Amino acid sequence: MKTIYDFTVKDRKGNDISLKEYANEVLLIVNTATKCGFTPQYEELEKLYKNLHSEGFEILDFPCNQFGQQAPGTDESIHNFCKLTYGTDFPQFKKLKVNGEDAEPLYKFLKSQKGFAGWDMSHPIAPILDKILSEADPNYKESAEIKWNFTKFLINKKGQVVARFEPTEKLENVEAKIKEELAK
């Protein structure tokens, strides 16, 4: 059975990184953007990282410019923005594509494992996204494609995808699932 350990990605400087380096850790893989309504999630993600990193938790940050061109700039300028604005310490990788034919193979795999999880409609941005995406494709919810920035995939200690969280999901719900996986 394939796991995320079968993939190699590029760090922000262009070096190959085997995801085997993260074996036996609980991972949260996130596609991010610096100019998005969800960008303040960096602050909450960094708190999660600081609180749980010593227990074997890692966040892997993959900037993506596919949604409203909200991740402009170079890999280094994105990194500097995140470090200076939110104090992020978790690993940040090279900007990539999460959808389409030229999507990063890791993201093709993640989507094949967990489809769209649905919006938390109590989030103020959820109705807006639902309207925009429904107008473009009335059946968008049936596709496993990433819908927006800050979609998160939870990976267990065996490298298997165990959950997908859309950007509107409350971070405390994400944290609860992370803690469940860390306790296993």
Side-chain angles (χ1 to χ4, degrees), residues 14-76:
N15 301 308
D16 285 340
I17 304 293
S18 168
L19 293 181
K20 287 178 188 155
E21 289 186 24
Y22 299 100
N24 303 312
E25 293 186 88
V26 172
L27 305 175
L28 193 66
I29 297 176
V30 188
N31 65 295
T32 61
T34 54
K35 306 255 185 241
C36 174
F38 295 111
T39 301
Q41 285 188 19
Y42 267 122
E43 187 172 344
E44 293 175 85
L45 289 169
E46 181 59 21
K47 281 182 193 168
L48 260 179
Y49 183 72
K50 281 198 180 345
N51 291 338
L52 300 174
H53 181 66
S54 64
E55 296 177 40
F57 172 65
E58 196 70 67
I59 294 174
L60 307 184
D61 175 1
F62 290 92
C64 176
N65 201 33
Q66 283 187 288
F67 305 99
Q69 306 299 302
Q70 295 178 343
T74 64
D75 294 309
E76 205 55 35

Side-chain angles (χ1 to χ4, degrees), residues 57-164:
F57 172 65
E58 196 70 67
I59 294 174
L60 307 184
D61 175 1
F62 290 92
C64 176
N65 201 33
Q66 283 187 288
F67 305 99
Q69 306 299 302
Q70 295 178 343
T74 64
D75 294 309
E76 205 55 35
S77 68
I78 290 169
H79 174 73
N80 289 339
F81 169 83
C82 294
K83 192 86 174 141
L84 293 171
T85 309
Y86 298 105
T88 57
D89 281 327
F90 46 82
Q92 192 170 62
F93 294 83
K94 194 158 195 56
K95 194 187 310 185
L96 51 67
K97 291 189 177 176
V98 297
N99 290 334
E101 284 184 30
D102 53 354
E104 183 71 29
L106 169 65
Y107 266 87
K108 289 180 181 180
F109 174 72
L110 294 171
K111 294 181 297 184
S112 77
Q113 301 300 296
K114 292 287 176 191
F116 179 60
W119 304 117
D120 173 353
M121 293 307 281
S122 69
H123 192 288
I125 298 177
I128 298 164
L129 285 173
D130 183 57
K131 183 178 185 305
I132 291 168
L133 295 169
S134 292
E135 287 171 359
D137 175 9
N139 300 314
Y140 82 90
K141 293 177 183 175
E142 296 168 22
S143 159
E145 293 297 285
I146 304 296
K147 309 303 180 212
W148 210 256
N149 306 307
F150 289 88
T151 299
K152 301 159 194 76
F153 289 90
L154 182 61
I155 314 300
N156 68 15
K157 294 175 186 176
K158 297 177 184 172
Q160 301 161 325
V161 183
V162 293
R164 174 174 167 166

Side-chain angles (χ1 to χ4, degrees), residues 159-183:
Q160 301 161 325
V161 183
V162 293
R164 174 174 167 166
F165 306 99
E166 302 308 324
T168 56
E169 184 69 43
K170 291 176 179 67
L171 261 306
E172 57 260 25
N173 296 340
V174 177
E175 182 176 10
K177 291 293 280 180
I178 291 166
K179 287 179 174 178
E180 277 179 34
E181 289 302 321
L182 286 169

